[in-house]
Amino acid sequence: MTVTAESQATSLSTLLRTGSQAEHTAAEGSSFMSELLAGHIDEAGYAHFLGLLRRVYEALETTAAGLTSDPLASAVIDTAIERLAAIDADLDHWGRVDADSAATDAYVARIRDSASWGGLFVAHHYTRYLGDLSGGQAIGRILTREFHLDGAGVAFYSFDDAVPKPKLYKDAYRARLDALPLDEQECARVLAEVKTVFSLNGGLFAEMTTHLPKYARA
Ligand code: HEM
């Protein structure tokens, strides 16, 4: 019997990774990320960005707290990897910037709306935390080098105690995704939300790009 590609079951973790590859490549190549990693953004610019991320993680982590009994969301929620306290420690280093941000408002609203179905929250959780455990590790190292840091200011990228081996954590996370009782349509809905989350992150980067002239670093 010929098995068509369509009829082959794809695990949710593979669907999310392969299905959002184009969005990931776009996020990696965004001018904000490129400029930041090239060391072209000053401390105030990074503080501004981190202040926006703080609002994103506050929304993720307060929404998670309300979903601990949800059969889908509870499979990924793990207070041990939460980032809010780490971000606050970093903001003590970089300084706090109170900036209006329409892109962050839209992102936060979408996170809060994801509480309507645990599968949507899973999409939000996956896109940020698995990203932080992946490329985020390299970003932390580059910031350390560019800003000559001695450990202060990059707690956001450090999961040391909670996750001694990111690869093992990510493998276990993917296994939990793959065990979720979701049908094909529901999996497609999770993937669609992951793509939306990437585009909300892209909106935040694009907004940061408009501020770059005042944050140029020689
Ligand atoms: C310059 C910026 C970025 C770099 C260099 C980067 C790099 C990477 C790398 C190397 C991996 C694969 C790690 C592995 O296979 O174990 C990865 C995975 C991932 N990244 Fe990024 N990334 C960046 C930005 C982002 C952004 C902005 C997001 C989302 C907001 C994101 C979300 C993810 C996710 C969800 C994964 C896990 C994919 C999976 O295995 O299912 N990344 N990233």
Side-chain angles (χ1 to χ4, degrees), residues 107-192:
Y107 192 173
V108 163
R110 189 82 186 190
I111 293 169
R112 299 209 184 277
D113 287 350
S114 77
S116 64
W117 180 53
L120 297 177
F121 182 76
V122 168
H124 283 268
H125 193 278
Y126 160 83
T127 310
R128 279 296 343 172
Y129 294 98
L130 231 59
D132 298 333
L133 285 162
S134 304
Q137 301 303 291
I139 296 172
R141 282 193 294 275
I142 295 170
L143 290 177
T144 298
R145 191 187 67 213
E146 285 299 330
F147 289 101
H148 312 292
L149 302 173
D150 58 4
V154 282
F156 176 61
Y157 305 98
S158 162
F159 289 87
D160 289 351
D161 296 338
V163 184
K165 290 193 171 21
K167 186 187 179 308
L168 293 185
Y169 191 93
K170 288 191 288 181
D171 287 346
Y173 188 103
R174 291 188 186 105
R176 295 201 299 279
L177 285 180
D178 295 343
L180 291 176
L182 296 174
D183 65 24
E184 207 174 314
Q185 263 190 338
E186 291 168 326
C187 286
R189 202 175 158 206
V190 177
L191 172 60

Side-chain angles (χ1 to χ4, degrees), residues 13 16-18 20 24 27-29 33-34 37 107 126-136 138-139 167 170 174 194 197-198 201 205:
S13 64
L16 298 186
R17 191 180 65 247
T18 56
S20 65
H24 187 271
E28 266 186 281
M33 271 294 150
S34 313
L37 297 181
Y107 192 173
Y126 160 83
T127 310
R128 279 296 343 172
Y129 294 98
L130 231 59
D132 298 333
L133 285 162
S134 304
I139 296 172
K167 186 187 179 308
K170 288 191 288 181
R174 291 188 186 105
V194 165
V197 181
F198 270 105
N201 278 277
F205 297 160

Side-chain angles (χ1 to χ4, degrees), residues 8-111:
Q8 277 172 348
T10 304
S11 65
L12 180 60
S13 64
T14 302
L15 180 74
L16 298 186
R17 191 180 65 247
T18 56
S20 65
Q21 233 154 35
E23 287 76 9
H24 187 271
T25 305
E28 266 186 281
S30 69
S31 46
F32 175 69
M33 271 294 150
S34 313
E35 292 294 296
L36 178 67
L37 297 181
H40 295 161
I41 298 177
D42 68 12
E43 278 87 347
Y46 185 70
H48 184 152
F49 174 57
L50 197 61
L52 302 186
L53 274 189
R54 186 193 189 285
R55 292 185 48 209
V56 168
Y57 282 85
E58 183 181 42
L60 281 170
E61 291 167 15
T62 53
T63 304
L67 288 174
T68 50
S69 312
D70 181 274
L72 301 175
S74 61
V76 294
I77 291 171
D78 178 2
T79 52
I81 60 166
E82 288 189 343
R83 299 287 81 204
L84 198 55
I87 291 174
D88 279 333
D90 287 351
L91 287 172
D92 287 344
H93 171 87
W94 299 98
R96 284 170 196 263
V97 178
D98 201 8
D100 285 340
S101 166
T104 310
D105 293 345
Y107 192 173
V108 163
R110 189 82 186 190
I111 293 169

